[in-house]
Amino acid sequence: MVSKDSKSASPAPPDDVRTRHAELARALDAHNYRYYVLDDPSVTDAQFDALLNELKGLEATHPALVTPDSPTQRVAGEIRSGTVKVKHRVRMFSLDNAYGAEDMGEFFRRVKDGLPDSETPRFVIEPKLDGASIEVVYEDGRISVASTRGDGETGEDITANIRTIRNIPLTITHLGRLTLRGEVVIYKKDLETFNAERATQELEPFANPRNAAAGSLRMMDSNEVARRPLRAIFYQLVEGPELHKSHSESIAWLAAIQLPTHRREVMGGDGDVLAAIDAIDAARAGYPYETDGAVVKVDTYRHQDVLGFTSKFPKWAVAYKFKAERIATRIREITVQVGRTGALTPVANLDPVELAGTTVSRASLHNGDQIAELDVRLGDLVFIEKAGEIIPQVVGVDTAARTGDERLFEMPKTCPSCGTATARSKRDEAKPELGDEVVLRCPNRTCPAQVKGQIFYFARRFAMDVDRLGAVLVEQMVDRKLVLDVADLYTLTAPQIIELERMGDKSAQNVVESIARSKARTLDRLLCGLGIPQVGQVAAKQLAEEARTLKEMLEWNEEETRAHVASIRGYGPKMVDSVVLFLFDKGQRSLMEKLRDLGVSAPQPRAEVATTGPLLGVKVCVTGVLSRKREDVHAEIRAAGGEVHDGVKKDTNYLVAGEKTGKSKLDQAKKFGTKVITETELSALLNP
Ligand code: IVH
C-alpha cells in the first residue's frame, strides 16, 4: 500500500503514463467482467496477469496513480483494527418462509387480498442463494460503503473486503447514489478447491459455502479475503433512479450497467409460479452455487408499496424452502468411529453419489440402535439426505430392492482403536436434548482415538484456539505416543515435531508457538476445551468466574465444590452433579493438576453484573447461525441485565433462533412455553 504522504510528495505522472494507466485499468475491468460476471473470458489467465503486472509497475513508479478503485487495489487491501458499524439507510428485512404449495396458496391469497380487485399482480421467481447478505452503496460511480446485514438495522463495515470481490465492479457508469442488496456466495467447485488447499495447510475445511462466505466477509485482513473465491450476486435495488416501475426492470438495468445479478423469471399465474419453483428445484444441483429455495416477489413497485411490511417481513415476497434432497445408494461397508468421549459412531461407506452439489461417499448412522431401528444391512440400497445440507445421514432402506445377499451388521464388542471391551452407557455429552440415549462406548481413557478427539476439541476456536493442530499432525503425535493427553501438548518441542511427516523447521516452530500462545487463554476457555458434560460455553464462563483460577478450583474439596457450583445462577442439579463428578474423577483431576503445574490458563476476570437494563431478570437462550458472533450477543444480553442460558430450560423466557436452528431446541421451547424470537426481535428488546 502506498501512504498518502508519498502520494502527495510524488510528481504528477506524464500524460502518456496516465493514458496507459487508464487504458490498462479499463481493460482489466472489462476482462474481470467477462470472466466473473458473464463467465465468458476473452483472455487467458497469463494475459490477464501480464496486464495487471504492467499496471502494478506503473503504479510503483508513479504512486499518484494509485486510487482506491484501481484494479491493483483488489488485492492490496487493508487490515481492520476493529469493527465499525454501519446503519442501513433502509432496514434490511428478511423473508418469511413457505414450505409447500399450501403455504404458497396462503401467500398468493394475502397478496390478492392486499391489492384492489382491479389489479393483477405479476411475480418474479429467483433462486434463493445460500450465502451471506450484503449491502453495497455506490456514490457517483464508486463504492462508498459496504456492510453486512447485522440485525437488519445496523451492520458491520466490510468495505475493504467487498472491494476484493472480483465480480463487483469498483466503478460503474451511473452517477448519484445506488444502494444494492445481494448475497455473497462461493461456488461449489471453488469451495472444493479451496478446502483442498486448506487441507494441505492442515486447516479445517469449511462445512458449506455459506459458512465460508460469511466467515470470509468478516475477516479483519482483506488480503486474506482477496484469496478467497467469493462472488456477489445482487438481488435488490433499494435506492437508485426513480424511473423503474418494477423489480425485474431494476435488475435488468443493473445487469445492463454490468453489475452481477440474478437469474429471474416473471410470470402472472399462481400455477406458473409453482411450476417455476419446481423447475428451480429440479435444476439447482447443476447451479454453480448452493441454492436452498426460491424467492417469489411481487414485481411491480407500486404493488409492493401497497402491500407493505409486517414487523419482520415484506408482505410482497416469500422464500420457498426446498425439501432436503434425498438419493438412493448402496452401503458397501460400515466403519465405526470413536469420538472424544469414547462413544462409538457407525459410519456407512457408500457408493459415491452426487447429493445437493457434492459427492457423498460416507453417511452417519448415528448409533447401533439406529441401525437396528432402520434395519440397515450391509449391501442395502439406502436413502441419504443432508441434514442442514451438511452432513449426510442414512434415513431409510429400500427393502424392496433386497436380493437376500445383504448381511446384518453388529456393533463391535471391542474398541476398533484400542481393542478394549466396549460398554453401553448413557450419552453424557453437553447435549441434554439427547436425553438418556444409550450409546456404546470405549471405556479406556488412553484410547488413541479418544485422545485424538480430545485434542481436536481442546484446540477448537471456542476453546483453547490452537490453530496449527491439523488432523494429520495430531494423528501422528498420538500414534507415536508423543502426547498421551492434552497436557502433553505443552511439553512438545520443535525437534520432536520436525521428526513427523510433512513438518519443516518453520512449521514445527509455528506449531510450538501456537500451542504456547494458548496457555494464556482464560480459565473458561480451558474448561470448554476439557469438555465437561452438560457445561456449554456460558456455564463454563460462570464456573470460571466463580473459581477465578484453575489452582483455586482444584483446592476446593468435594463439599466446597458442590456449594460453589450450586450457587451459580442457572446451574440445575444435573449440571452440579456433572461438574462435581468431572472435577473429582481421578483421571480428569490428574489431567487438570498437570495443566495447572504447566501454568495453562489465565485467571478469569470478574464478571460485571448489570443491575439495571431492559432485560433485567429475563432469561434468554441463543442458538443457530446469527449475523454476529454468539459471544457478542451473549455479552449484549448480559449488559442489558439479562441472564444467558446454554439450553432451553423450564424458566427460559426467550429462545433467539438464528438460521438452521436445531429441531430439539425448538421442541424444548414448545414444551416449556419459551417464546421463540428472531435476532431482530432480540435487538428490539435490547433497545426498546
Ligand atoms: S430478497 C426484502 N432475493 O435470503 C427482501 N433474498 O431470508 C429481501 N436471499 O436476507 C430479500 N437469495 O440474504 C432476496 N433472490 C433473493 C435471495 C435472497 C437469497 C437471502 C437474503 C435474505 C434472506 C431472506
Side-chain angles (χ1 to χ4, degrees), residues 91-97 125-134 149 181-184 233-236 247 262-263 292-297 309 312-314 316-317 319 321 659:
R91 187 172 147 193
M92 269 178 103
F93 282 88
S94 66
L95 296 172
D96 201 359
N97 291 328
I125 296 92
E126 302 165 349
K128 184 172 187 298
L129 305 168
D130 203 11
S133 21
I134 53 160
R149 191 178 108 89
R181 303 261 165 90
E183 200 86 350
V184 167
I233 295 175
F234 293 112
Y235 55 64
Q236 203 187 4
H247 170 67
H262 226 338
R263 67 177 78 207
D292 60 346
V295 180
V296 179
K297 302 171 184 172
F309 297 83
K312 287 182 264 179
F313 311 120
W316 43 264
K321 292 287 193 91
E659 279 189 53

Side-chain angles (χ1 to χ4, degrees), residues 343 366-367 425-429 434-439 441:
H366 209 48
N367 59 32
S425 70
K426 277 190 188 164
R427 181 183 293 270
D428 54 4
E429 279 171 75
L434 293 175
D436 292 337
E437 185 192 2
V438 170
V439 293
R441 207 181 282 281

Side-chain angles (χ1 to χ4, degrees), residues 2-39:
V2 177
S3 76
K4 290 205 176 68
D5 294 347
S6 65
K7 226 188 257 183
S8 52
S10 59
D15 277 353
D16 57 331
V17 172
R18 248 177 217 294
T19 314
R20 180 66 185 151
H21 182 273
E23 233 169 55
L24 286 167
R26 230 177 305 123
L28 285 162
D29 281 343
H31 290 315
N32 259 329
Y33 175 66
R34 290 199 63 135
Y35 187 91
Y36 289 104
V37 184
L38 302 181
D39 206 8

Side-chain angles (χ1 to χ4, degrees), residues 611-631:
T611 49
T612 59
L615 288 188
L616 196 66
V618 178
K619 302 170 183 83
V620 188
C621 171
V622 183
T623 189
V625 183
L626 304 171
S627 64
R628 298 170 291 152
K629 269 208 291 230
R630 198 179 292 176
E631 295 109 81

